[in-house]
Amino acid sequence: MTPPTGVPERTRARRPKVVLLDVFETLLQLDALRSRFVDVGRPEYELELFFARTLRDGMALTLAGGSPPFAEVARSALISTTGRRLSEAAVQHVLDGFAELPPHPDVEPALIMLAKAKVPAYAFTHGSADVVREALDLAQLRSYLRGVISAEEISSFKPPPAVYHWACQRVGAEPARTALVAAHSWDIHGAVRAGLLAGFATRVEGGMSDVFDAPHVVAERLDDVIERLLALPA
C-alpha cells in the first residue's frame, strides 16, 4: 500500500543502534498514584481520566503552537478532573507522586538486556526530566540508561514527527536505526510515522489499535519486546 502524501515510507525492521524508552506506563507504574487520590478524598478511578486529560491537553497545546511544561498541564488537568475541590496542598500531594512511581517488574530485565547488548538506552518523556530522574534513581534503574530526554526542552508533547527527530538528534542516531519502545499505541504510531523503528509492549492496552501504524515488534512484556528488537537483522 502506498503511504498517504507527506508520510515517509515505513522503515524496514533492523536491529536498533539506540533505544528510546517511553516513561509513564512503559517504565513506571502510574497505578501508584491511585492511593494519592484516595489520600485527598477522591476516588482512585479518577486517575485514568486525569492522565488522559493531561495527554489530551498537552497534545492540543502542542498542535496549537507549543505546550507549557508537563507539570503545568497536569496540574490543570487534575484540578478539572476533581471538580476544583482540592486545595493547593492536595493537588501538590498527588503530583508529587510522579517522582515516586515504581517500575514495572519487566523493566530491569529489559534494561539489563540492552546493557549486555551494548545498545545505548535513553528514557524519553514529555514529562519533567528532573522528576523522571528522581523516580528512576529511587527505583535504582538510572544507571542502566545513558540519559533522560524530555520534550519539554522544545515545548512539546509527543507524537509530532519533529519530537522524535529532535530526540534522535539529541542521541546522535539516525531515525531508521533508532527504536521507540512504548506501552502506548499512539506513541508507537507517532514513531513509525517519523521513520523510527518501534517496539510495542501490550501489557497496558492489550493490543494495537487498528487505526494506528503497526510496530516492528510486539510482545506483552517489555523484556520480550527488547529481545525481539535485538533479534532483528543488522
Side-chain angles (χ1 to χ4, degrees):
M1 173 185 277
T2 302
T5 303
V7 176
E9 288 195 15
R10 180 182 176 84
T11 293
R12 72 179 177 88
R14 291 188 292 176
R15 191 179 199 262
K17 292 185 176 180
V18 177
V19 171
L20 305 175
L21 295 139
D22 174 57
V23 175
F24 301 132
E25 296 273 51
T26 302
L27 298 182
L28 304 177
Q29 299 183 53
L30 274 179
D31 275 355
L33 290 181
R34 293 187 191 281
S35 62
R36 290 184 177 251
F37 276 81
V38 175
D39 289 344
V40 298
R42 303 301 303 177
E44 64 176 29
Y45 64 74
E46 287 186 341
L47 169 61
E48 281 84 3
L49 180 56
F50 153 65
F51 194 64
R53 278 181 166 165
T54 300
L55 294 178
R56 179 201 66 184
D57 293 352
M59 292 175 186
L61 288 160
T62 296
L63 286 169
S67 174
F70 178 89
E72 293 182 28
V73 180
R75 180 180 298 277
S76 175
L78 180 59
I79 291 169
S80 297
T81 300
T82 55
R84 302 183 179 274
R85 294 185 177 92
L86 295 184
S87 67
E88 177 57 30
V91 168
Q92 194 59 49
H93 175 71
V94 175
L95 296 178
D96 284 346
F98 277 101
E100 298 179 10
L101 296 178
H104 286 280
D106 54 2
V107 171
E108 187 170 24
L111 295 178
I112 289 173
M113 203 176 300
L114 287 168
K116 287 183 176 179
K118 298 183 178 180
V119 174
Y122 296 80
F124 178 36
T125 183
H126 37 216
S128 163
D130 288 340
V131 169
V132 169
R133 289 188 193 101
E134 189 173 346
L136 291 172
D137 281 340
L138 188 64
Q140 299 183 325
L141 293 177
R142 191 149 72 98
S143 61
Y144 295 112
L145 298 165
R146 294 286 183 91
V148 175
I149 301 170
S150 173
E152 278 192 349
E153 291 185 36
I154 55 172
S155 301
S156 183
F157 271 53
K158 294 183 275 182
V163 179
Y164 301 97
H165 295 159
W166 168 81
C168 290
Q169 290 174 354
R170 282 290 311 272
V171 303
E174 61 177 307
R177 300 313 298 266
T178 303
L180 182 283
V181 175
H184 300 287
S185 53
W186 58 263
D187 202 359
I188 294 296
H189 176 78
V192 172
R193 285 296 177 102
L196 278 70
L197 299 159
F200 182 42
T202 64
R203 56 166 150 71
V204 174
E205 297 182 8
M208 194 74 184
S209 169
D210 291 340
V211 301
F212 292 140
D213 288 358
H216 293 80
V217 302
V218 59
E220 180 178 3
R221 291 176 55 91
L222 193 70
D223 49 351
D224 289 336
V225 170
I226 295 302
E227 183 177 29
R228 292 178 187 185
L229 280 172
L230 294 175
L232 291 173

